[in-house]
Amino acid sequence: MDSLRQQAAKFGARFEQSLVASVDFSAMPRQLVCSDRTVLARSVIIATGASPRLTGVPGERELFGGKGVTTCATCDGSFYRHMHVAVIGGGDSAAEEALFLTRFASRVYLVHRRDSLRASKIMADRATSHSKIEPIWDSIPLEVLGTKEGAVSGLRLQNLKTGTESALAVKGVFIAIGHVPNTAPFASALEVDANGYFRPADGSQIKTRVPGVYVAGDCADHVYRQAVTAAGMGCQAAIEAERWLAEHGG
């Protein structure tokens, strides 16, 4: 990321950091109201991403990021070779995470609050029939164990039907219960779907209903959520913004 930043700076990009509270895209220049100032711009590319939804149980945040709790099997799965891990969730994302982890982990516990997966039939069948994946039905996490040691050592669960508590001895906990797009400050000015993701206009991936305002990456894409697709959308948005500015005397 630092190399990308240096390359952008080499070509004249100026970096500023502030928290956007709201926007006014009704006038020109467009206004981004930040915590410490208002930024004016003729064209805007919004690439705010999406934040993974967490369970909120004790130990989760304390052990997040390099300590055993993660939201990305593709990113971190290889660190858990020949270990037992748990995946929390029941949708397609959870099934995909669990299946990916079978390449590395010796055992994958798939923890879901219901007695069947919400995932599509093909994904659910693949996950539940895999020899390395063991579903833990009707259960919710109560605590991620290992805070004192500074690394995940287990996951405490509760069965919703019986009320019984138990603990899984795992080294990794992968949370796959969805994402929350970081679109709130812009939602009043741009169109978003029921889940808060930007809804591009004119059949485009990156154009919005406001001329000169574009979206890119996970804030507008809840399907692929990969760095390469986000970079592709970013490239499209940059080209469109440059063309728009050229056409409108920017």
Side-chain angles (χ1 to χ4, degrees):
M1 291 301 296
D2 188 56
S3 296
L4 297 176
R5 185 184 180 98
Q6 289 179 28
Q7 184 187 33
K10 179 181 177 182
F11 286 91
R14 186 177 77 240
F15 296 89
E16 295 188 20
Q17 186 169 324
S18 190
L19 183 65
V20 177
S22 63
V23 298
D24 183 356
F25 289 160
S26 63
M28 182 62 77
R30 311 305 185 193
Q31 297 185 22
L32 295 92
V33 181
C34 303
S35 55
D36 56 349
R37 64 191 184 279
T38 297
V39 176
L40 305 179
R42 293 185 60 79
S43 183
V44 179
I45 299 173
I46 303 169
T48 48
S51 300
R53 184 177 282 113
L54 301 180
T55 66
V57 301
E60 181 180 60
R61 290 194 177 275
E62 294 88 339
L63 296 172
F64 191 89
K67 298 178 181 179
V69 176
T70 178
T71 56
C72 181
T74 306
C75 311
D76 302 323
S78 62
F79 297 120
Y80 297 91
R81 294 180 187 274
H82 312 302
M83 299 182 190
H84 288 200
V85 299
V87 175
I88 300 172
D92 279 341
S93 293
E96 289 173 4
E97 296 271 288
L99 286 164
F100 182 84
L101 287 166
T102 60
R103 304 181 189 184
F104 310 102
S106 56
R107 196 68 174 166
V108 180
Y109 298 104
L110 185 52
V111 180
H112 186 42
R113 63 186 304 118
R114 298 181 178 86
D115 59 4
S116 62
L117 296 179
R118 293 184 294 103
S120 59
K121 186 177 187 305
I122 187 169
M123 290 301 299
D125 289 346
R126 286 179 61 193
T128 54
S129 64
H130 198 287
S131 60
K132 282 189 175 182
I133 297 176
E134 180 180 337
I136 308 293
W137 303 122
D138 303 311
S139 297
I140 59 171
L142 294 179
E143 180 185 7
V144 180
L145 305 175
T147 304
K148 291 182 179 179
E149 299 83 357
V152 170
S153 61
L155 181 64
R156 189 160 62 89
L157 305 173
Q158 182 181 44
N159 185 289
L160 293 175
K161 289 186 175 179
T162 66
T164 304
E165 295 185 12
S166 61
L168 294 175
V170 295
K171 294 295 185 182
V173 175
F174 292 77
I175 302 168
I177 56 175
H179 287 71
V180 179
N182 302 318
T183 59
F186 312 93
S188 62
L190 302 176
E191 189 175 0
V192 297
D193 65 17
N195 295 312
Y197 288 89
F198 289 125
R199 183 176 284 148
D202 300 329
S204 165
Q205 277 190 308
I206 48 91
K207 292 181 180 179
T208 72
R209 65 185 182 186
V210 180
V213 177
Y214 307 93
V215 294
D218 289 10
C219 58
D221 168 30
H222 59 85
V223 177
Y224 300 105
R225 297 198 305 270
Q226 296 292 321
V228 67
T229 56
M233 292 176 71
C235 179
Q236 294 176 63
I239 291 171
E240 289 291 338
E242 183 180 34
R243 289 174 178 171
W244 190 88
L245 289 169
E247 292 172 2
H248 295 81

